[in-house]
Amino acid sequence: MNILEIIEKKRDKKELTKEEIEFFIKKYTKGEVTDYQAAALIMAIYLNGMTNKETTNLAISMANSGEILNLSKELGKIIVDKHSSGGVGDKVSLILLPLVSSVGVTVAKMSGRGLGFTGGTVDKLESIPGYRTNLNMDEFIKNVKEIGISMISQTENLAPADKKIYALRDSISCVESIPLIASSIMSKKIASGADKIVLDVTVGNGAFMKDIESARKLAKEMIGIGNLANRKTVCVLTNMDEPLGINIGNTLEVIEAVEFLKGKMQEDLKEVVLELGSYMMYLAGLGDDIDKNKEILLENIKNKKAYNKFLELVEKQGGDISYIETLEKFEKAKYVEDIKIEKEGYISKIDAKEMGKIACFLGAGRTKKEDKIDNSVGISLFKKVGDKVKKEEIIATIYANDKEKLNKAKNKILENIKISKEKQEKLKSILEVIK
Ligand code: URA
């Protein structure tokens, strides 16, 4: 077997065997297949697709490229993991995980960093002064045992093949592919030792899946892989046609998450958090009634148990909780400017992808893996599609550390919010649940 034959087969739209997929993954992880050969194969997969069997074999081979954790054995608990296929303003994990932990779901979560226009939970957590995301495995397990939750960054040896292939896909415009996304997400979930998995499959212009049909297909592929690997998987399809919640940017999103946990809940974010949380409870064996689960979750927002769990988590990971208790302590961007709308009407579109790109341009995200991010910059968007706006009303605030960037961002934001004279429907946050 050699890599040229494998590339040729996929180029010619033929099905790869399990052995061929394993050969590629092993050799590429070791550096024995070059980046240009891997790029050719990945592009052939992107263009010609994969059968369900190939996608499953790819996911399992990538999971096996590093260590496979067995957290439930280690912790003696059912581990329900959560993953999102990525979005703009997506601070769901920061809220959801302490919330479900406060009702008794064991949370042992490894998250990723942002890349491209989408944000990452690890970057957001690191904007809390002192918070350590790089705990070793013993510290991670110890924290979960002691307080029922830990949130860290993926360890180096967790699905290393996915790390290499994901970075390669990002550099050759091959991210938006169903078999590649399905195998990437599921390889990490299988390797990180989850027994059950809830996936937030984002749909819309700020997501990798632009329409509901593709999102359904992705969800079904991931559920199929989960079933074969004996990991029950539920997919919640959520809207990413406009940014989620209000804030985009690392510190800004932490602030919004803390305010949510204290009871100030933005409607779209609330719906997404409660839906995912209810299914996490269901899979953890804490309740079969999804609506009842939502009530229990809401109660733990009201009685501050979820907020207190977040404080406990931050403290345990070395973070300075005085920032959480007094949000004004977070470092502010040098320039803070409100944006007023120029005409009256109804919001008909807020381009999520463009908003993500603008936040990155201000410094909130990376265009290359090595880029340093600026935690204090970002955007607050106060209106949603369907909202009525008056002339001169403030619809957004920009946080920037560079005057020139601020001015450019301001124009871009205005260009990417469309106003219509006619009344507009609000967007639905939860599109579908697939089990
Ligand atoms: N998230 C992942 O983990 N992998 C992808 O390919 C896309 C989103």
Side-chain angles (χ1 to χ4, degrees):
M1 198 182 302
N2 72 55
I3 188 66
L4 292 187
E5 285 164 11
I6 297 175
I7 297 171
E8 203 175 295
K9 234 175 137 180
K10 200 36 51 196
R11 182 200 66 194
D12 295 342
K13 302 192 172 69
K14 295 196 181 117
E15 189 178 34
L16 299 179
T17 63
K18 181 168 176 264
E19 291 70 32
E20 285 164 339
I21 291 171
E22 275 172 1
F23 176 91
F24 163 63
I25 292 299
K26 274 199 188 123
K27 297 272 179 197
Y28 185 48
T29 311
K30 280 201 220 151
E32 291 168 12
V33 161
T34 62
D35 276 336
Y36 52 82
Q37 289 169 322
L41 181 59
I42 293 296
M43 182 58 89
I45 295 173
Y46 182 92
L47 294 174
N48 297 330
M50 276 187 142
T51 60
N52 292 345
K53 202 161 139 203
E54 285 176 299
T55 308
T56 304
N57 286 330
L58 183 57
I60 298 193
S61 295
M62 290 205 292
N64 286 332
S65 66
E67 66 181 328
I68 304 267
L69 303 174
N70 190 344
L71 289 177
S72 48
K73 189 161 165 229
E74 198 96 41
L75 293 159
K77 298 264 170 47
I78 293 178
I79 302 298
V80 184
D81 206 349
K82 175 259 169 191
H83 196 94
S84 159
S85 56
V88 177
D90 181 353
K91 67 279 296 172
V92 169
S93 288
L94 297 179
I95 302 165
L96 172 68
L97 300 175
L99 174 58
V100 295
S101 168
S102 77
V103 301
V105 178
T106 304
V107 175
K109 171 81 174 135
M110 292 186 210
S111 298
R113 294 185 185 278
L115 203 60
F117 63 89
T118 64
T121 302
V122 170
D123 296 325
K124 293 169 202 182
L125 286 170
E126 285 179 356
S127 74
I128 303 169
Y131 191 107
R132 289 174 56 219
T133 57
N134 61 346
L135 301 189
N136 64 37
M137 210 27 77
D138 290 342
E139 291 172 297
F140 178 56
I141 304 265
K142 183 168 166 278
N143 286 6
V144 181
K145 279 188 176 151
E146 285 177 11
I147 64 165
I149 182 169
S150 184
M151 291 172 73
I152 63 169
S153 57
Q154 280 151 22
T155 53
E156 270 310 302
N157 202 20
L158 187 99
D162 174 62
K163 282 196 187 78
K164 271 189 99 167
I165 293 175
Y166 193 88
L168 181 72
R169 284 164 57 204
D170 199 50
S171 67
I172 59 168
S173 268
C174 281
V175 173
E176 282 128 330
S177 144
I178 292 175
L180 295 175
I181 296 178
S183 54
S184 161
I185 293 180
M186 293 309 284
S187 67
K188 288 182 290 242
K189 297 298 98 179
I190 292 168
S192 65
D195 302 294
K196 319 231 174 175
I197 304 159
V198 174
L199 298 173
D200 181 358
V201 181
T202 48
V203 190
N205 125 308
F208 296 131
M209 294 296 103
K210 305 294 179 206
D211 56 68
I212 191 92
E213 285 78 26
S214 329
R216 278 190 195 121
K217 198 157 178 260
L218 174 64
K220 286 179 187 157
E221 291 261 354
M222 294 195 287
I223 290 170
I225 299 170
N227 286 343
L228 275 171
N230 210 11
R231 325 279 165 124
K232 167 92 185 129
T233 303
V234 173
C235 290
V236 180
L237 274 52
T238 63
N239 199 325
M240 196 42 81
D241 255 334
E242 61 184 340
L244 190 61
I246 297 175
N247 291 345
I248 309 167
N250 296 296
T251 298
L252 287 169
E253 291 190 44
V254 169
I255 291 173
E256 186 176 356
V258 172
E259 284 176 342
F260 186 111
L261 289 166
K262 284 180 167 169
K264 194 173 156 212
M265 296 175 270
Q266 184 69 23
E267 199 49 41
D268 57 346
L269 192 53
K270 178 175 161 187
E271 283 174 28
V272 172
V273 165
L274 293 182
E275 195 74 30
L276 294 167
S278 297
Y279 278 100
M280 288 185 83
M281 287 176 71
Y282 161 70
L283 290 179
L286 295 176
D288 290 344
D289 184 334
I290 296 302
D291 290 332
K292 181 93 199 302
N293 290 352
K294 288 183 188 169
E295 280 168 29
I296 297 170
L297 292 169
L298 271 179
E299 187 51 38
N300 270 23
I301 299 274
K302 282 197 202 117
N303 61 25
K304 299 277 182 295
K305 283 191 183 160
Y307 170 69
N308 288 331
K309 185 53 80 178
F310 185 68
L311 284 181
E312 208 180 351
L313 164 73
V314 171
E315 190 159 41
K316 196 84 183 164
Q317 306 255 163
D320 182 347
I321 58 166
S322 69
Y323 282 80
I324 307 300
E325 290 170 323
T326 314
L327 293 170
E328 294 71 34
K329 269 187 84 169
F330 277 104
E331 197 188 325
K332 306 252 168 355
K334 207 148 121 203
Y335 307 103
V336 179
E337 199 169 307
D338 291 332
I339 304 183
K340 291 183 180 166
I341 200 76
E342 286 153 355
K343 60 178 186 186
E344 191 168 292
Y346 296 89
I347 309 262
S348 60
K349 185 175 169 67
I350 302 177
D351 190 314
K353 183 170 181 176
E354 284 305 316
M355 294 301 157
K357 282 161 79 177
I358 298 164
C360 280
F361 168 74
L362 289 168
R366 302 178 183 79
T367 38
K368 292 189 302 304
K369 249 169 102 179
E370 314 64 59
D371 287 350
K372 214 173 150 359
I373 54 176
D374 184 344
N375 286 325
S376 62
V377 300
I379 315 167
S380 297
L381 293 160
F382 307 115
K383 298 286 173 188
K384 293 275 157 191
V385 169
D387 284 349
K388 192 165 188 227
V389 282
K390 294 194 227 79
K391 193 167 186 282
E392 292 297 300
E393 191 174 348
I394 296 171
I395 52 157
T397 301
I398 310 187
Y399 300 83
N401 280 321
D402 177 313
K403 192 85 188 158
E404 212 174 299
K405 283 191 176 175
L406 177 121
N407 290 332
K408 282 195 182 144
K410 189 172 170 180
N411 292 332
K412 275 256 167 220
I413 289 174
L414 283 169
E415 271 168 34
N416 285 290
I417 299 180
K418 304 277 179 253
I419 312 284
S420 137
K421 282 202 187 100
E422 292 81 41
K423 224 173 167 260
Q424 299 289 313
E425 290 271 319
K426 280 200 157 286
L427 302 179
K428 260 175 81 179
S429 305
I430 308 296
L431 305 174
E432 228 167 273
V433 177
I434 306 182
K435 287 182 240 177

